Amino acid sequence: MNQRISIPAAYLRERIVPVCFYIAEALVFMLIAALYGYEGVLENMTYALGLVSFFGACYLAWDYVRYREKYRTLWKLLLAEERSGGLPQTLSCMEQAYQQIIRTQEREKKALITQLDEKQQNMADYYTMWTHQIKIPLAAMDLLLQNEDQWAEKDSGQRTLRQLREETFKTGQYVDMALHYARMESISADLSFARLDVGEVVKGALKKYWILFSGAGLALHLEECHGQVVTDGKWFSFVIEQVLSNALKYTKEGAVSIYGTDEAGVHRVQDCRYLVIEDTGIGIEESDLPRIFERGFTGYNGRMGNKSTGIGLYLCRQIMDRLGLSIRVESKRNEGTKVFLGIAQEEILTKM
């Protein structure tokens, strides 16, 4: 903050030019009158200049009082936390423009602070939910480890070991989701685009999730899909994994199917426009479908099962938007869910 100077000094600094100009004008008039030697003119001009100087001094005194009050008001605002209101009234167009700039910047500052507070609150809310979610697999692992008798029998021990692996995997997935959520704000700096074969990306995700498939007892119907997509492999894989995770979470019996389609929904192996992940689970309420990509929205299924954070699909939409790809969901209650991931090459190239 600049050091505060005295009000008289500040006033003189700003008014010195017009005052000097007035004195110079008076001297010029008196010099001209003296050079021409007009009789009586010099005395009359001196009287007129004295009269004008008196009224000028009165104006300067009045102007100084106004200047002092405005100066004090501005310093009070400068030292206060709230500066958007209470600016002194002015008839100067220039000062009005400055005040408008100040008010605009103050509004933008408040908007940025509100946005930052929202982000911090969203992050705090998410990690609160995440903490409760991660307690579930940790508690399950602790319970399995406490039942030492189960390890005595070979079949029971193998089953317990598989369950431990599943819960460990779930814990890792929750941690991975938290990391991706934290990196969302700086995702642009983390993107590395390359041309990928969608089928290979899907196989990599299935290999990672195979432990959950084997424990869930669900059939997997995988059709070849060799569509090419220019994208970031890590983030695109994360989206596929989240969709697979939801399919396994909400499907108790039946199958999970993965295939490629064209615009009309016809299954294709080459040049697929959409990668579809379909399950035969509990489906989604029709009233919930418009809001499933909102942050923190759990819907009917999440409230009934108490196992949803409302973050997975939100992250999927945010990531797909940043990658220049599309995602949509079709579902009916008790009839399963279809998730369509748009992978058409021309869609990507026009958005990159």
Side-chain angles (χ1 to χ4, degrees), residues 315-333:
L315 280 177
C316 289
R317 165 58 65 81
Q318 296 298 312
I319 293 170
M320 293 295 277
D321 286 345
R322 303 289 179 87
L323 295 177
L325 304 173
S326 65
I327 179 172
R328 62 183 176 89
V329 174
E330 293 180 1
S331 182
K332 290 185 179 179
R333 181 115 180 106

Side-chain angles (χ1 to χ4, degrees), residues 70 73-74 76-77 82-89 99 103:
K70 184 184 293 185
T73 301
L74 290 174
K76 288 178 181 178
L77 290 172
E82 180 64 41
R83 304 188 181 96
S84 60
L87 290 172
Q89 296 294 326
Q99 290 186 7
R103 292 189 181 99

Side-chain angles (χ1 to χ4, degrees), residues 86-246:
L87 290 172
Q89 296 294 326
T90 178
L91 297 177
S92 169
C93 294
M94 186 69 72
E95 289 188 6
Q96 289 176 359
Y98 282 137
Q99 290 186 7
Q100 187 61 39
I101 292 172
I102 292 171
R103 292 189 181 99
T104 301
Q105 290 181 338
E106 190 70 21
R107 285 195 298 269
E108 292 175 353
K109 175 186 173 183
K110 287 182 177 180
L112 288 174
I113 292 175
T114 301
Q115 187 178 9
L116 179 61
D117 289 342
E118 264 183 29
K119 289 180 180 179
Q120 290 177 339
Q121 186 60 46
N122 290 343
M123 188 68 73
D125 292 342
Y126 170 69
Y127 281 116
T128 299
M129 291 187 294
W130 178 83
T131 302
H132 288 293
Q133 284 291 96
I134 205 170
K135 285 181 179 179
I136 298 174
L138 290 175
M141 286 189 286
D142 182 62
L143 183 62
L144 289 169
L145 290 172
Q146 288 179 15
N147 297 330
E148 297 178 359
D149 294 340
Q150 294 182 2
W151 296 87
E153 300 179 12
K154 181 178 180 180
D155 292 341
S156 179
Q158 291 179 345
R159 184 170 61 253
T160 303
L161 181 60
R162 178 179 55 79
Q163 291 173 339
L164 279 172
R165 287 174 177 169
E166 289 180 5
E167 299 303 328
T168 302
F169 179 81
K170 291 177 183 177
T171 303
Q173 291 307 108
Y174 283 130
V175 173
D176 192 40
M177 182 184 290
L179 290 174
H180 280 78
Y181 186 83
R183 292 172 181 166
M184 274 301 302
E185 293 301 321
S186 58
I187 182 176
S188 299
D190 191 46
L191 294 177
S192 177
F193 286 87
R195 187 178 297 274
L196 304 174
D197 185 280
V198 176
E200 294 302 317
V201 178
V202 170
K203 289 177 181 178
L206 288 175
K207 184 178 180 180
K208 184 175 179 179
Y209 269 77
W210 185 249
I211 184 172
L212 294 186
F213 269 101
S214 61
L218 299 174
L220 173 63
H221 300 153
L222 175 62
E223 297 182 12
E224 291 293 330
C225 175
H226 295 297
Q228 296 290 313
V229 59
V230 176
T231 189
D232 181 277
K234 181 182 69 175
W235 288 93
F236 186 60
S237 296
F238 176 79
V239 173
I240 295 176
E241 291 168 9
Q242 283 301 304
V243 176
L244 287 174
S245 177
N246 284 346

Side-chain angles (χ1 to χ4, degrees), residues 274-299:
Y274 294 97
L275 174 68
V276 183
I277 301 177
E278 179 181 0
D279 64 61
T280 57
I282 61 177
I284 302 172
E285 289 284 345
E286 184 177 356
S287 59
D288 290 340
L289 280 174
R291 300 186 58 193
I292 57 175
F293 293 111
E294 294 181 11
R295 193 196 70 83
F297 181 74
T298 57

